[in-house]
Amino acid sequence: MKRIILALILLVNINGFAQTHNTELTPKETVQKFFEAFHAQDTVKLKNFAVEGTKLQSVSKDAEGNTKLSTDDYSKFVKSIASIPAEASFEEKLHEFRIEENGLLATVTTPYSFYYNGNLSHCGVNSFELVKFNNEWKITYLIDTRTKENCN
């Protein structure tokens, strides 16, 4: 009887431990943590949010009103974050989250306003594509729009 009680206690403790230490983030929490690292200029954490080869694209209009699509590697983005001067302040304010999750794939869309040194620089929408690898969401693709118009 003592062995049965001991076994039950161990099972309850193991199960309780597993539930209280679950660190799996949702797609929304992954994007939120990405922006926390972004604002802190924490390049080590930023690297961990994406898979190798992740592409970033940005859509904007040039001076003549033509649509412009620029592409960069995620690693170049991380390096650029590290190069922002310490005296500069920047903040990307997210206005809402739109999330579609289907098994191993998720899309998180976030309208935003970007401020540099306290001044509105531009606004737009981010669209994150995430894939779940070993119970962890990773960014595989990020595209955003950038405009200076209608940023209210």
Side-chain angles (χ1 to χ4, degrees), residues 20-35:
T20 58
H21 289 83
N22 183 358
T23 58
E24 183 180 325
L25 299 175
T26 66
K28 178 182 179 180
E29 291 167 333
T30 300
V31 171
Q32 288 173 318
K33 294 288 184 189
F34 165 86
F35 278 103

Side-chain angles (χ1 to χ4, degrees), residues 23-152:
T23 58
E24 183 180 325
L25 299 175
T26 66
K28 178 182 179 180
E29 291 167 333
T30 300
V31 171
Q32 288 173 318
K33 294 288 184 189
F34 165 86
F35 278 103
E36 287 175 16
F38 171 70
H39 292 128
Q41 291 179 267
D42 188 334
T43 57
V44 173
K45 284 184 181 176
L46 282 172
K47 286 179 188 176
N48 290 325
F49 283 106
V51 298
E52 190 173 326
T54 294
K55 295 285 183 210
L56 277 71
Q57 292 190 307
S58 187
V59 180
S60 60
K61 298 253 184 193
D62 64 17
E64 291 79 38
N66 300 311
T67 299
K68 177 183 169 188
L69 178 65
S70 59
T71 303
D72 274 318
D73 290 324
Y74 188 80
S75 59
K76 186 176 176 184
F77 160 75
V78 171
K79 287 177 187 172
S80 72
I81 297 305
S83 69
I84 297 172
E87 62 275 2
S89 67
F90 63 96
E91 180 182 13
E92 189 157 330
K93 292 184 181 180
L94 306 179
H95 303 299
E96 68 178 293
F97 287 84
R98 299 177 198 135
I99 301 152
E100 279 192 47
E101 185 179 339
N102 187 346
L104 299 176
L105 181 66
T107 301
V108 178
T109 307
T110 59
Y112 73 91
S113 298
F114 187 83
Y115 294 84
Y116 190 77
N117 289 331
N119 298 312
L120 179 64
S121 169
H122 61 276
C123 62
V125 176
N126 298 310
S127 181
F128 291 83
E129 290 297 324
L130 299 102
V131 174
K132 195 174 205 177
F133 295 96
N134 299 320
N135 293 322
E136 188 175 13
W137 290 102
K138 295 285 188 175
I139 300 166
T140 58
Y141 178 66
L142 172 57
I143 189 167
D144 66 45
T145 61
R146 295 181 188 180
T147 184
K148 294 181 183 275
E149 300 172 4
N150 302 318
C151 288
N152 300 339

